[in-house]
Amino acid sequence: MANTETALKECLSSIEGATAAALVDYTSGMALGTLGGTKDFNLEVAAAGNTDVVRAKLRTMELLGLKEEIEDILITLNSQYHLIRLLKGRGGSGLFLYLVLDGSRSNLAMARHQLRRIEADLEV
């Protein structure tokens, strides 16, 4: 089992093109751990802002009566992918892993696969 710090380090070291990662509580908007980012990319602000994305999608699903679970949410920019993976099980309710990928150096399918594996090993 990996703790938050170990899981975030694994995100950056094992996922090709990963530039930043965070574990976020979407009920409060607080980042429980962050790694990466730059002076031009405030990971704390990005993590908090993405809680609004998660909440909006959950509200919409509820209004539509969808009984599905969100696996992940993908936001594509010109040069980046932002991947939000909602955690399930073992105390992960209300949490998501947030991953920023360099679009020119990453394989989205492999990143999703690796993030799923990291989630399975994460002990919150």
Side-chain angles (χ1 to χ4, degrees):
M1 294 294 154
N3 64 19
T4 300
E5 182 180 349
T6 303
L8 295 177
K9 284 180 181 176
E10 188 168 350
C11 284
L12 292 188
S13 67
S14 71
I15 300 176
E16 184 71 29
T19 59
L23 178 64
V24 185
D25 178 338
Y26 64 80
T27 58
S28 69
M30 298 276 303
L32 306 177
T34 61
L35 191 61
T38 64
K39 65 178 177 71
D40 297 324
F41 184 82
N42 186 323
L43 188 53
E44 295 277 341
V45 171
N50 279 300
T51 63
D52 292 334
V53 172
V54 172
R55 289 180 198 153
K57 186 58 187 173
L58 290 171
R59 259 191 321 275
T60 302
M61 289 175 61
E62 184 179 338
L63 291 171
L64 293 171
L66 297 176
K67 303 297 183 212
E68 300 281 332
E69 288 186 348
I70 298 172
E71 283 188 32
D72 50 41
I73 298 169
L74 172 64
I75 300 167
T76 58
L77 305 178
N78 292 339
S79 64
Q80 299 176 348
Y81 298 126
H82 292 233
L83 190 57
I84 299 167
R85 176 137 187 107
L86 276 66
L87 302 186
K88 298 172 185 49
R90 289 198 316 274
S93 181
L95 303 178
F96 66 86
L97 280 168
Y98 173 55
L99 184 65
V100 180
L101 299 159
D102 178 330
S104 67
R105 297 186 305 119
S106 61
N107 177 319
L108 190 53
M110 287 302 296
R112 289 183 70 221
H113 174 75
Q114 288 292 95
L115 203 54
R116 224 176 284 124
R117 187 185 57 71
I118 291 166
E119 173 196 4
D121 290 341
L122 179 61
E123 183 68 42
V124 183

